[in-house]
Amino acid sequence: MTQQTPGRAMTMREIREGLGHAQPGQPEPTVQATRYEVSLLPEGDINRLSFTINVEYRGGDRWAVVRHRQCMNAQGEWSWESVPSEREDEWLAEHRFDLDTALRLAKQAAPHVVVNGHTAAEAYRRSQSPVVPAASEETGR
């Protein structure tokens, strides 16, 4: 157990070691968010995944706006993301952003994602419309 210096409060690490919840000298695992999903469709919607844009961490506090191996630039244009060894500095400068900028760009693009000829905005409106039963041929109603 860690010895406490008189007059000094124990750190959370010392408390955890004392309780047997952490091994002395072993570093704490780090946790880092590396991807955000941006979609106009709500969680649970069957079509959400198809219309999702991802904002992914690329190191050095830089983030990419990606969808199906394509990367967005600041003008909202998509281009294929090549393997890291083939990426030029100029291309990286145009396709890497701080987190706030990347999220803003992804949110702006989200309604315009097209799948099978339909935009995310159209898919959202369809999912929110109540289903109206077809009129019966016999009754004419």
Side-chain angles (χ1 to χ4, degrees):
M1 183 163 173
T2 306
Q3 295 292 325
Q4 183 179 4
T5 306
R8 182 180 74 80
M10 292 178 72
T11 65
M12 284 305 295
R13 177 68 190 202
E14 291 168 338
I15 293 169
R16 294 187 68 225
E17 287 176 1
L19 294 172
H21 298 291
Q23 289 183 343
Q26 182 173 315
E28 284 286 321
T30 59
V31 177
Q32 179 179 7
T34 59
R35 186 175 80 177
Y36 292 87
E37 291 183 359
V38 179
S39 180
L40 198 62
L41 301 178
E43 185 176 12
D45 187 300
I46 193 169
N47 294 310
R48 179 183 168 95
L49 182 60
S50 298
F51 288 95
T52 294
I53 295 173
N54 292 313
V55 174
E56 298 179 356
Y57 185 66
R58 293 294 198 254
D61 289 329
R62 305 309 284 168
W63 295 78
V65 180
V66 297
R67 184 166 184 269
H68 301 304
R69 294 200 56 219
Q70 289 191 353
C71 238
M72 180 185 286
N73 66 18
Q75 291 73 43
E77 300 163 335
W78 295 94
S79 62
W80 292 105
E81 185 173 32
S82 61
V83 295
S85 61
E86 295 176 6
R87 296 179 196 151
E88 303 286 331
D89 289 342
E90 181 180 319
W91 188 91
L92 288 170
E94 294 174 1
H95 293 83
R96 297 296 184 261
F97 313 97
D98 60 80
L99 179 58
D100 290 338
T101 301
L103 289 172
R104 179 179 49 77
L105 289 169
K107 287 178 180 180
Q108 288 172 346
H112 308 287
V113 171
V114 176
V115 175
N116 293 331
H118 299 282
T119 66
E122 292 167 337
Y124 175 79
R125 283 192 294 275
R126 274 196 323 271
S127 71
Q128 301 304 305
S129 298
V131 177
V132 179
S136 169
E137 289 182 25
E138 290 179 20
T139 63
R141 294 187 278 164

